Amino acid sequence: MNYSRVSVPPGDKITMGSDGRLHVPTHPIIPFIEGDGTGPDIWKAAVRVFDAAVAKAYAGSRKISWMEVFAGEKSFNMFKENMGDQAWLPEETVEAYREFLVGIKGPLTTPIGGGIRSLNVALRQLLDLYVCLRPVRYFQGVPSPVKKPQDVDMVIFRENTEDIYAGIEWMHGTPECDKFKKFLLEEMKVTKIRFPDSVSLGVKPISQEGSQRLVRAAIQYALDHKRRSVTLVHKGNIMKFTEGAFKDWGYGVAIAEFRDLTVTERESWIIGNQDRHPGLSAEENARQIEPGYDMMTTGQRRNAVEEVETALRLMPTHGSGQWKKLLLIRDAIADITLQQVLTRAKEFDVIATMNLEGDFLSDALAAQVGGIGIAPGANINYLTGHAIFEATHGTAPKYANLDKVNPGSLILSGVMMLEHLGWQEAADMIVASIDRTISQKKVTYDFERLMEGATLVSCSGFADALIGNM
């Protein structure tokens, strides 16, 4: 594409091979948006860290060619006279991320009102970045509100394109809302709208295709990174045909596509019972996994026994303790999960969930390990290779240009980007440097005020300390 507002630097494109793997040149062109508010400060700090790690890890044989593209407040101020509201997210910016596959961005301002949707959500949807990947881990010494933050080591796969975040909703009193309400009340005979005269309405789309590709990516990630389990988090006990279907479709992917590599939690109970008691009948096994078995109807008992019989067919490949070496697939209700990630953090590893629950869980877990100031994030399409790595916090405009805030979120997102490129040596160097720097108590104001004996450094000073500790 010929760009009129973007300068393409010397370098080469990252491409997606027919083998489904990224082909990364030694001098890849990577688009970036510095972001609004504190964005320029954290970008200037982060890019120095990235460049230093790459230079040192590969002795100068590799180098990223950074290409600035524009979105948000900076873009609007630059291009509003010619582009109007389209200046918030120019088409050239979307095309640059589409053409060069992998990019990174700081926090963006989204204008309130006027019908302009979230710029972050827009990028995810326009590029079909269906996975929001949020690893959450603890760095020793970081202030935390919980007693054992070191127990938190989770990776969240949040579905990024569906759920109520799709933005299919209508305001009370509009013709569109009235039309949809009439359809629900008169055509669908819906009787559960509590206050129909004053209701706004929205739609919650959860698809089989969208659910399956998310869970497939989560399972593959767990296998590739030798993780212990994948937990499908949902509210299917209430929303049976959306969130409940997500759970069922997720299990379906595990069983149909990863049968020899996975075991479901209920299968592990059944096979474990049989391992301990080889003579156990299917009915006795069903009674052990279903505490209310004796109160069930005849049909329910039959279903429980059939479930046991199906699981026992796995004995040649999963029995005799073989299942303990496989990836465990389980599910958990969302509200219980929010409690148990606090009280039983070690029981969770990779989490796959829908958009809303993923949003809640990501930030709640980030708080346990020090806050979103050091929480990285990525938006990825594993099928096309497109990925945008981003700071997960807001723009914090009152701290703009003060060289004050913690650049950790964007730096760790860059670590994820380097890992995505296969440049693990540079990624590991940054992580080790962060560990070392925090252990030395050289931290920005958000941590310094909570750490006894800490040395306060600026945003750029934190980058200096990281580079010095490589």
Side-chain angles (χ1 to χ4, degrees):
M1 177 178 177
N2 293 321
Y3 297 94
S4 61
R5 298 177 177 85
V6 172
S7 177
V8 181
D12 300 298
K13 292 181 184 179
I14 298 169
T15 58
M16 187 71 160
S18 57
D19 58 357
R21 296 181 180 275
L22 286 180
H23 294 178
V24 182
T26 57
H27 291 72
I29 298 172
I30 294 185
F32 74 92
I33 299 169
E34 67 174 8
D36 298 323
T38 57
D41 281 348
I42 63 174
W43 173 253
K44 284 184 285 189
V47 72
R48 290 196 294 119
V49 173
F50 304 150
D51 287 344
V54 170
K56 188 165 186 177
Y58 307 111
S61 64
R62 301 182 190 180
K63 182 178 174 62
I64 294 173
S65 294
W66 298 105
M67 181 175 79
E68 184 173 14
V69 295
F70 304 98
E73 189 174 351
K74 178 178 180 178
S75 178
F76 183 71
N77 290 334
M78 290 174 66
F79 307 127
K80 60 185 176 183
E81 291 187 9
N82 294 324
M83 299 181 64
D85 283 345
Q86 291 184 344
W88 287 101
L89 182 59
E91 182 61 27
E92 274 195 356
T93 295
V94 179
E95 286 304 314
Y97 281 121
R98 184 175 284 123
E99 180 178 356
F100 293 94
L101 291 188
V102 176
I104 192 167
K105 57 176 280 297
L108 291 176
T109 297
T110 293
I112 297 173
I116 300 173
R117 60 180 168 168
S118 163
L119 303 179
N120 297 315
V121 172
L123 280 168
R124 295 166 191 167
Q125 293 180 344
L126 289 168
L127 296 172
D128 195 25
L129 305 175
Y130 62 89
V131 170
C132 178
L133 184 64
R134 293 283 296 271
V136 186
R137 56 153 290 185
Y138 180 65
F139 287 92
Q140 191 64 40
V142 170
S144 167
V146 299
K147 288 184 177 181
K148 294 182 179 180
Q150 67 273 14
D151 288 353
V152 177
D153 182 12
M154 305 177 203
V155 181
I156 299 172
F157 276 70
R158 167 189 168 192
E159 205 291 319
N160 229 356
T161 64
E162 296 191 307
D163 207 346
I164 57 176
Y165 284 51
I168 307 171
E169 58 180 357
W170 301 274
M171 182 63 190
H172 162 66
T174 63
E176 295 82 3
C177 186
D178 289 342
K179 182 177 182 180
F180 188 50
K181 179 171 63 176
K182 182 177 180 180
F183 168 74
L184 292 175
L185 296 176
E186 298 181 7
E187 295 290 329
M188 299 298 293
K189 308 299 182 185
V190 171
T191 60
K192 296 180 180 179
I193 300 176
R194 181 64 184 85
F195 299 105
D197 293 337
S198 60
V199 68
S200 290
L201 294 167
V203 176
K204 178 186 178 73
I206 302 291
S207 72
Q208 182 174 6
E209 180 180 359
S211 301
Q212 288 177 334
R213 67 178 183 174
L214 177 89
V215 175
R216 183 179 298 117
I219 293 174
Q220 190 62 60
Y221 177 97
L223 292 168
D224 290 345
H225 291 81
K226 296 179 170 46
R227 309 293 290 212
R228 305 181 315 276
S229 68
V230 174
T231 303
L232 309 174
V233 175
H234 61 93
K235 194 65 179 166
N237 57 326
I238 303 300
M239 293 171 276
K240 300 182 184 300
F241 305 128
T242 50
E243 306 221 354
F246 169 86
K247 177 200 71 173
D248 294 340
W249 291 327
Y251 276 121
V253 167
I255 292 169
E257 301 179 25
F258 300 93
R259 179 67 283 179
D260 293 339
L261 302 172
T262 64
V263 61
T264 70
E265 187 170 50
R266 288 178 66 84
E267 288 170 348
S268 75
W269 298 343
I270 295 166
I271 295 170
N273 287 341
Q274 208 68 31
D275 281 344
R276 288 187 297 272
H277 308 287
L280 199 66
S281 71
E283 184 175 3
E284 289 169 335
N285 202 323
R287 184 174 280 107
Q288 289 191 23
I289 67 167
E290 291 288 359
Y293 181 84
D294 291 326
M295 294 181 286
M296 287 180 171
T297 65
T298 301
Q300 289 171 330
R301 290 184 187 182
R302 186 183 307 115
N303 291 338
V305 170
E306 288 176 357
E307 179 188 7
V308 169
E309 291 172 342
T310 299
L312 292 179
R313 296 190 191 109
L314 298 171
M315 289 299 289
T317 55
H318 290 53
S320 302
Q322 295 177 85
W323 63 269
K324 296 178 182 179
K325 300 177 183 179
L326 303 178
L327 180 68
L328 180 67
I329 310 296
R330 58 194 288 265
D331 72 274
I333 301 297
D335 44 347
I336 298 171
T337 301
L338 284 165
Q339 171 181 295
Q340 291 184 340
V341 293
L342 281 167
T343 60
R344 304 179 186 179
K346 286 186 175 181
E347 294 185 9
F348 294 87
D349 196 344
V350 175
I351 292 173
T353 188
M354 289 150 289
N355 216 332
L356 181 63
E357 277 90 350
D359 200 355
F360 294 159
L361 270 171
S362 297
D363 285 1
L365 283 169
Q368 291 180 226
V369 298
I372 58 174
I374 58 165
N379 303 287
I380 302 173
N381 184 317
Y382 286 95
L383 303 175
T384 65
H386 290 99
I388 298 179
F389 299 82
E390 65 181 2
T392 59
H393 54 74
T395 57
K398 74 175 183 177
Y399 295 115
N401 304 312
L402 297 181
D403 191 24
K404 183 174 182 176
V405 299
N406 188 341
S409 175
L410 189 61
I411 290 172
L412 286 169
S413 296
V415 167
M416 294 175 65
M417 183 184 73
L418 292 169
E419 292 174 337
H420 189 70
L421 298 180
W423 293 13
Q424 193 65 48
E425 299 86 354
D428 290 344
M429 187 175 290
I430 296 174
V431 171
S433 179
I434 292 174
D435 259 327
R436 195 171 298 120
T437 302
I438 292 176
S439 70
Q440 295 167 349
K441 296 188 176 183
K442 296 177 182 178
V443 292
T444 49
Y445 84 100
D446 52 327
F447 289 169
E448 185 269 341
R449 62 188 176 180
L450 300 172
M451 294 172 67
E452 186 175 345
T455 298
L456 175 64
V457 296
S458 63
C459 178
S460 60
F462 187 68
D464 292 337
L466 292 180
I467 294 168
N469 275 323
M470 287 181 186

